[in-house]
């Protein structure tokens, strides 16, 4: 083990970032040659006077940069870049856009890092529908989708309608899921260099994709009730954004639901400053919440998006966008340019699932199963601080001292459980710390696997970092 100590007097930003940069510089200069062992996290934390969580975040970051490798029971070692396998060589752009999840999910882990709809046997329903489509639409299946049947639009209208509000079928655009819908909208109503508002914590696949498109991310502050209108007003006044991406109901990952008075305020502020709104209702449609949609409060500037992935079947990639008047054609064309076109067989499957009532039945069964699993979660994690909802597939768990979000995620990984740390949901670099992780529970195959994963997490929460052998 080397006696190397970092120099943190240079640079700016959070300590863990400066530490990671110092390690990278030491590797580049040869001060930390290939094969050398980094100091144990506990020792280094003591030597430089920071928390073990800070060290854990830095070690995780240099691991993501492809500079070190961690082996349980042995420590963290500098990789020989000349001998490393191609999979270990990750370019900086991939790291900056990829979030904190592994690029390829490792096998033999309990997956608490995905919120896809639970497997309730809906594959048999989908298989039957696929067979029917193949028999009835042979030419359409073998060709491109050049025309969209009317049932694709009416199905979208049905799925998006909620709380007494329904979009006009003429304003519906069928899409390859909610993510594709959001990116098509951002591309259609903004230009490179334009600013897009995101909450500090959000579904960052959209914010990272927006940066690929050359859009700039700006942050609005939120609390346990969602976006704070006063801060949204400040951002709109000072930054002049083109669009805001919001999740007013069952926000991911905090599960916050915005009350009506805030929605009314957000709608009025957006109207006053000419800001378009994307309302992601993917989880909201599962909760039964009766608060009016933003789309009903500001229909002239709100794009409502929803789909089948969380409640019916993620593999179908079925989604729809309800657009303000006269925008549907623009979004439809932009979606085609970005995605290459909507596959007929998937769009028809999604439409038939909705029109037949099967999608609603599967969603009801999924919600019932999630409620059962959420009760199991509450039992296993009783006494700890977390936010959950009986109809949502994840919880927002606060890790107790001295755990840090990233360190707890790494410890869970070593114990065979994949979860998401808070950095996965930060739409921009931030020094704000929540000490929380997202634990999803829709994907375990059965209650036995769910309970096994929860038992592991509880043991880690109770034992603290003493159970974590300071690996990456």
């Amino acid at each position: 083990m080397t006696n190397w100590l970092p120099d943190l007097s240079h640079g700016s930003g959070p300590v863990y970032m400066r530490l990671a940069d110092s390690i990278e510089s030491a590797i580049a200069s040869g001060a930390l040659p290939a094969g050398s062992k980094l100091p144990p996290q506990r020792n280094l934390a003591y030597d430089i006077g920071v928390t073990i969580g800070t060290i854990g975040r830095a070690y995780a970051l240099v691991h993501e940069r492809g500079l070190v490798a961690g082996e349980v029971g042995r420590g963290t070692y500098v990789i020989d870049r000349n001998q490393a396998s191609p999979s270990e060589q990750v370019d900086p752009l991939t790291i900056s856009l990829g979030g904190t999840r592994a690029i390829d999910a490792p096998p033999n882990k309990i997956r608490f890092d995905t919120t896809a709809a639970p497997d309730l046997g809906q594959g048999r329903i989908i298989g039957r529908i696929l067979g029917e489509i193949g028999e009835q639409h042979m030419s359409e299946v073998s060709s491109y989708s050049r025309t969209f049947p009317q049932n694709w639009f009416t199905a979208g209208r049905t799925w998006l309608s909620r709380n007494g509000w329904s979009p006009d079928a003429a304003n519906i655009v069928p899409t390859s899921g909610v993510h594709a819908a959001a990116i098509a909208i951002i591309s259609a109503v903004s230009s490179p260099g334009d600013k897009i508002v995101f909450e500090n914590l959000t579904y960052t696949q959209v914010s990272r994709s927006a940066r690929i498109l050359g859009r700039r991310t700006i942050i609005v502050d939120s609390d346990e009730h969602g976006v704070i209108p006063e801060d949204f007003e400040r951002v709109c006044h000072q930054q002049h954004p083109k669009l805001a991406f919001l999740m007013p109901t069952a926000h991911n990952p905090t599960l916050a639901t915005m009350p009506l008075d805030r929605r009314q305020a957000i709608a009025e502020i957006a109207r006053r400053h000419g800001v378009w709104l994307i309302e992601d209702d993917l989880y909201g449609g599962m909760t039964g919440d009766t608060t009016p949609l933003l789309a009903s409060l500001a229909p002239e500037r709100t794009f409502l998006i929803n789909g089948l992935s969380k409640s019916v079947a993620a593999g179908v990639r079925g989604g729809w966008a309800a657009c303000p008047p006269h925008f549907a054609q623009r979004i439809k064309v932009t979606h085609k340019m970005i995605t290459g076109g909507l596959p007929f067989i998937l769009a028809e499957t999604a439409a038939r699932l909705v029109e037949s009532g099967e999608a609603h039945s599967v969603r009801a069964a999924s919600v019932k199963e999630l409620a059962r699993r959420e009760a199991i979660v509450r039992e296993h994690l009783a006494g700890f601080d977390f936010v959950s909802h009986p109809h949502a597939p994840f919880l927002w768990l606060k890790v107790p001292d001295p755990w840090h979000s990233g360190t707890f995620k790494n410890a869970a990984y070593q114990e065979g459980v994949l979860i998401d740390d808070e950095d996965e949901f930060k739409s921009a670099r931030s020094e704000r710390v929540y000490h929380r992780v997202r634990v999803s529970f829709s994907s375990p195959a059965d209650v036995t696997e769910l309970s096994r994963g929860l038992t592991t997490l509880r043991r880690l929460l109770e034992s603290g970092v003493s159970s974590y052998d300071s690996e990456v």
Side-chain angles (χ1 to χ4, degrees), residues 4 16-27 32 38 41 44 54-70 76-79 81 88 90 95 410 471-472:
W4 172 84
Y16 82 94
M17 291 285 295
R18 284 183 280 146
L19 175 55
D21 292 342
S22 179
I23 294 172
E24 183 171 2
S25 296
I27 292 172
L32 287 173
L38 298 189
Q41 294 186 27
L44 186 56
T54 297
I55 306 299
R57 293 183 78 182
Y59 277 30
L61 191 54
V62 292
H63 183 270
E64 291 169 356
R65 292 175 181 176
L67 302 175
V68 300
T76 303
Y77 291 83
V78 176
I79 289 174
R81 302 298 293 274
E88 293 172 323
V90 183
I95 291 298
N410 293 334
E471 307 298 331
V472 166

Side-chain angles (χ1 to χ4, degrees), residues 194-237:
D194 282 344
K195 297 174 182 178
I196 312 296
V197 175
F198 292 93
E199 296 172 74
N200 187 45
L201 295 173
T202 191
Y203 173 62
T204 52
Q205 300 287 329
V206 172
S207 61
R208 292 196 291 265
S209 297
R211 289 200 294 275
I212 291 177
L213 296 172
R215 277 57 170 178
R216 291 184 287 173
T217 297
I218 56 176
I219 305 302
V220 64
D221 203 9
S222 302
D223 60 17
E224 68 274 17
H225 301 298
V227 173
I228 299 172
E230 292 78 9
D231 199 55
F232 185 55
E233 177 81 66
R234 177 193 62 81
V235 166
C236 291
H237 180 73

Side-chain angles (χ1 to χ4, degrees), residues 63-251:
H63 183 270
E64 291 169 356
R65 292 175 181 176
L67 302 175
V68 300
E71 301 178 35
V72 177
R74 293 193 61 234
T76 303
Y77 291 83
V78 176
I79 289 174
D80 185 344
R81 302 298 293 274
N82 294 322
Q83 298 180 7
S85 65
S87 63
E88 293 172 323
Q89 303 295 317
V90 183
D91 66 277
L93 180 61
T94 301
I95 291 298
S96 66
L97 297 175
T100 63
R101 293 174 182 163
I103 297 174
D104 298 304
N108 304 318
K109 303 282 187 183
I110 297 176
R111 297 212 62 179
F112 283 175
D113 65 337
T114 173
T115 57
D119 182 0
L120 303 174
Q122 58 267 54
R124 289 187 292 273
I125 299 171
I126 295 168
R128 172 178 54 79
I129 292 175
L130 287 169
E132 293 171 355
I133 295 171
E135 289 291 331
Q136 299 167 8
H137 295 279
M138 292 183 183
S139 60
E140 289 90 343
V141 168
S142 62
S143 186
Y144 296 108
S145 300
R146 302 191 187 280
T147 59
F148 286 13
Q150 184 59 36
N151 65 310
W152 293 7
F153 301 94
T154 55
R157 182 178 189 272
T158 299
W159 196 251
L160 294 172
S161 297
R162 197 158 76 80
N163 295 349
W165 178 84
S166 293
D168 191 318
N171 295 329
I172 300 294
V173 177
T175 66
S176 298
V178 168
H179 177 93
I183 301 310
I185 294 164
I186 290 172
S187 301
V189 304
S190 67
S191 302
D194 282 344
K195 297 174 182 178
I196 312 296
V197 175
F198 292 93
E199 296 172 74
N200 187 45
L201 295 173
T202 191
Y203 173 62
T204 52
Q205 300 287 329
V206 172
S207 61
R208 292 196 291 265
S209 297
R211 289 200 294 275
I212 291 177
L213 296 172
R215 277 57 170 178
R216 291 184 287 173
T217 297
I218 56 176
I219 305 302
V220 64
D221 203 9
S222 302
D223 60 17
E224 68 274 17
H225 301 298
V227 173
I228 299 172
E230 292 78 9
D231 199 55
F232 185 55
E233 177 81 66
R234 177 193 62 81
V235 166
C236 291
H237 180 73
Q238 296 179 355
Q239 301 287 335
H240 309 293
K242 196 65 174 285
L243 182 146
F245 175 84
L246 305 174
M247 291 177 281
T249 309
H251 174 275

